[in-house]
Amino acid sequence: MCGESLLSELSLLTPPRIAEYAVYHNKIDKLLLTNELIDPNEQVKVELWNYDPLLFSKDNKTIDIISLVISLFETEDERIEIVLEQLLEKI
């Protein structure tokens, strides 16, 4: 789990409509991916990372906090920025 999906698990933010997951780009068949949203209840957003997202994970299910903050760094949503600052303060 990554992005706003994970952020909503760690805070009071509402989860996004489409769940977000990260995967190491060498571990997935890119031919199976599509940019077309057909059914948000069945589909997920997949972020392709240059390294294994679980490399620094504590629970082997979600990305680490630093990677989460970096992945959402350029977000212009004030709610997300506030939660990211709170997470960094805890570290």
Side-chain angles (χ1 to χ4, degrees):
M1 187 178 288
C2 72
E4 290 182 46
S5 291
L6 179 55
L7 201 58
S8 70
E9 294 277 325
L10 301 173
S11 68
L12 298 175
L13 285 179
T14 304
R17 186 170 154 221
I18 301 169
E20 300 172 75
Y21 295 93
V23 65
Y24 181 42
H25 71 92
N26 283 343
K27 289 188 176 182
I28 192 165
D29 182 357
K30 293 171 189 73
L31 296 175
L32 298 174
L33 302 177
T34 179
N35 282 331
E36 185 179 4
L37 181 62
I38 298 168
D39 185 354
N41 297 319
E42 297 289 327
Q43 290 176 283
V44 297
K45 177 181 177 183
V46 177
E47 294 181 6
L48 301 178
W49 285 28
N50 290 328
Y51 64 93
D52 185 350
L54 299 179
L55 184 63
F56 305 109
S57 176
K58 290 184 180 180
D59 63 5
N60 230 12
K61 295 178 187 175
T62 59
I63 63 173
D64 63 285
I65 299 300
I66 299 297
S67 294
L68 175 64
V69 171
I70 291 169
S71 71
L72 293 171
F73 185 73
E74 294 185 9
T75 301
E76 296 182 13
D77 186 327
E78 190 174 301
R79 300 169 307 124
I80 292 174
E81 290 174 0
I82 291 169
V83 173
L84 291 177
E85 285 178 23
Q86 292 170 346
L87 288 175
L88 285 174
E89 286 174 4
K90 289 180 182 179
I91 300 176

